[in-house]
Amino acid sequence: MSSRLTFGTLKRIVAILIAIAIVLAAGIVVGQAPAIFGVEEDPEASITFEDQQGDGTTVTIREVSLSDGGYVVLTDGGDEPLAVSERLEAGTHENVTVERKDDSTRELVGQLTATVHRDTSDDEGYAYEATDGEEDQPYLENGVPVSDTATVTTTEEDALGDSFLVESIDAPATATTNETVQVNATIRNPTEFQTQQSVTVRIDGAVFERQVLELEGGESRTVTFETDTSGAPPGNRTIGIYTDGDGAVSDIDLEFHTDPSVSVTDASDGTVTAAAAIPERGFVAVEQNGTTVGTSDQLAPGEHENVTVALSDDASIAEDDELTAALYAGSPGEADAASPIEFEGEPVETTFTIADASADDSTDGSGDGNESTGE
């Protein structure tokens, strides 16, 4: 009986060993299945894309690793990629530059997403969109594309954020239009760094003075601008101090520095030469019997010598015909819509003849001619 029991025990042991062998064999087969059937391990990737300052055309990927090689694709939430990197070989790459597509009108700024894509296409180059997602699909981790998001700002945006600040302005309340006035402003550098920036004085938006100011980080300084108002139109105007991204304004009442006037200093060969003191942007017109026969170029507010008026070839003007030179506000290209400039209720104009203007010039050479301030 003891021998039978021993034989039965041996059979059971053999059966158990056979079962264990089968299980082990199956495990080996399963473990080797990808290699046996030509299937590779799942591809893996990682990417680090950090917030950065750029120029709108390129961005830098801090680090990307790809088990099988491929591409980094930049998007901003739209359907089309903004930029695609050059093909990257398998391995780890640092400081990868991705450049905007040549035909893209969207700058590489704002919140952007960098996604790692495989290279599975037989064609050369990235083909995910071109194949409707069949080729060059993203690397996946837990079923989600491997990607990272960063915010890219431009140098212009950062410069605006670091703009000098205009904390106060002190300007005269009144002045004349040929006066040099002092405009004081307190300017502060809000950054931690020594910086140079341009600071301008503007009257009604036009630049009248510009200085380059250098301030230490956090420094405030009161700066005086000696501003010549010549060329500014008279009236109630706005005078302001402006930096790259800030400014402060004040009101200034500008009075024209002299009486408006026009005088004819010469006339010859169909051309009249005049001098004018004009209080606003306008021109000199020459008229015959109420009809305009010539205009000067447009004049800025101020005093002007040697203003040339070419007379129309169609006009029939004799040397002794009486003509009128008058000041108008507006554009000489739209003379019919221009308004006569008046002084003390009368138009600023003077009458003359070609003969008299020519004689005056040739007699004493002083160019006094005929003059009117609105008589």
Side-chain angles (χ1 to χ4, degrees):
M1 180 174 177
S2 176
S3 63
R4 286 199 298 272
L5 288 174
T6 301
F7 180 73
T9 300
L10 288 175
K11 288 201 311 182
R12 285 195 295 274
I13 291 172
V14 170
I16 291 171
L17 291 174
I18 291 173
I20 292 173
I22 292 173
V23 171
L24 291 174
I28 293 173
V29 170
V30 170
Q32 294 180 343
I36 293 174
F37 295 103
V39 179
E40 299 179 355
E41 296 284 344
D42 289 339
E44 296 181 348
S46 64
I47 187 169
T48 301
F49 183 29
E50 298 176 338
D51 293 348
Q52 60 195 266
Q53 176 182 302
D55 60 4
T57 62
T58 62
V59 299
T60 300
I61 306 302
R62 177 68 184 85
E63 183 178 291
V64 58
S65 296
L66 315 87
S67 62
D68 296 343
Y71 307 92
V72 174
V73 180
L74 289 179
T75 58
D76 64 351
D79 295 333
E80 296 295 327
L82 302 179
V84 179
S85 72
E86 298 291 333
R87 189 189 186 283
L88 303 174
E89 298 295 333
T92 298
H93 306 264
E94 295 184 348
N95 299 322
V96 176
T97 298
V98 184
E99 187 171 359
R100 183 178 65 179
K101 296 171 63 177
D102 291 339
D103 59 350
S104 176
T105 58
R106 169 75 159 83
E107 290 190 331
L108 300 183
V109 295
Q111 190 174 70
L112 305 178
T113 298
T115 304
V116 191
H117 283 248
R118 301 171 62 193
D119 180 17
T120 61
S121 172
D122 293 333
D123 298 330
E124 183 177 351
Y126 173 72
Y128 181 72
E129 278 76 26
T131 60
D132 294 327
E134 293 295 326
E135 301 290 346
D136 298 350
Q137 296 180 0
Y139 282 84
L140 301 178
E141 183 176 353
N142 298 325
V144 178
V146 175
S147 63
D148 196 8
T149 299
T151 299
V152 181
T153 58
T154 66
T155 54
E156 289 80 5
E157 288 174 338
D158 286 346
L160 185 63
D162 294 340
S163 169
F164 284 174
L165 302 178
V166 183
E167 297 189 320
S168 67
I169 182 174
D170 179 20
T174 61
T176 61
T177 54
N178 70 340
E179 186 177 349
T180 297
V181 298
Q182 289 189 347
V183 184
N184 300 313
T186 301
I187 312 294
R188 180 168 65 88
N189 176 5
T191 74
E192 300 177 358
F193 310 101
Q194 183 185 59
T195 309
Q196 286 187 345
Q197 285 187 19
S198 177
V199 183
T200 59
V201 180
R202 297 173 181 262
I203 298 178
D204 276 7
V207 175
F208 278 74
E209 187 184 357
R210 177 181 282 109
Q211 287 187 22
V212 175
L213 184 62
E214 182 174 298
L215 297 177
E216 298 289 341
E219 179 186 0
S220 290
R221 186 187 306 170
T222 298
V223 184
T224 298
F225 299 86
E226 301 286 344
T227 303
D228 183 359
T229 62
S230 297
N236 197 323
R237 305 298 172 187
T238 297
I239 187 168
I241 301 289
Y242 297 88
T243 61
D244 288 347
D246 196 27
V249 298
S250 179
D251 292 331
I252 185 169
D253 190 11
L254 293 176
E255 180 182 354
F256 194 54
H257 61 276
T258 188
D259 294 341
S261 65
V262 60
S263 63
V264 175
T265 59
D266 189 20
S268 62
D269 299 329
T271 300
V272 173
T273 303
I278 187 168
E280 55 188 303
R281 189 172 297 276
F283 58 94
V284 175
V286 173
E287 300 169 340
Q288 181 184 35
N289 299 324
T291 300
T292 300
V293 294
T295 61
S296 70
D297 291 336
Q298 191 165 58
L299 305 174
E303 295 182 88
H304 303 270
E305 301 290 337
N306 300 317
V307 178
T308 300
V309 179
L311 302 179
S312 172
D313 294 336
D314 297 333
S316 177
I317 302 173
E319 287 191 351
D320 294 329
D321 288 346
E322 185 176 272
L323 303 173
T324 299
L327 296 185
Y328 281 84
S331 169
E334 299 177 353
D336 292 342
S339 302
I341 291 178
E342 295 185 349
F343 178 67
E344 296 181 346
E346 297 292 334
V348 180
E349 61 184 25
T350 187
T351 58
F352 69 100
T353 66
I354 299 294
D356 288 343
S358 300
D360 288 342
D361 181 65
S362 61
T363 298
D364 55 24
S366 63
D368 290 340
N370 304 296
E371 183 174 357
S372 172
T373 59
E375 301 170 336

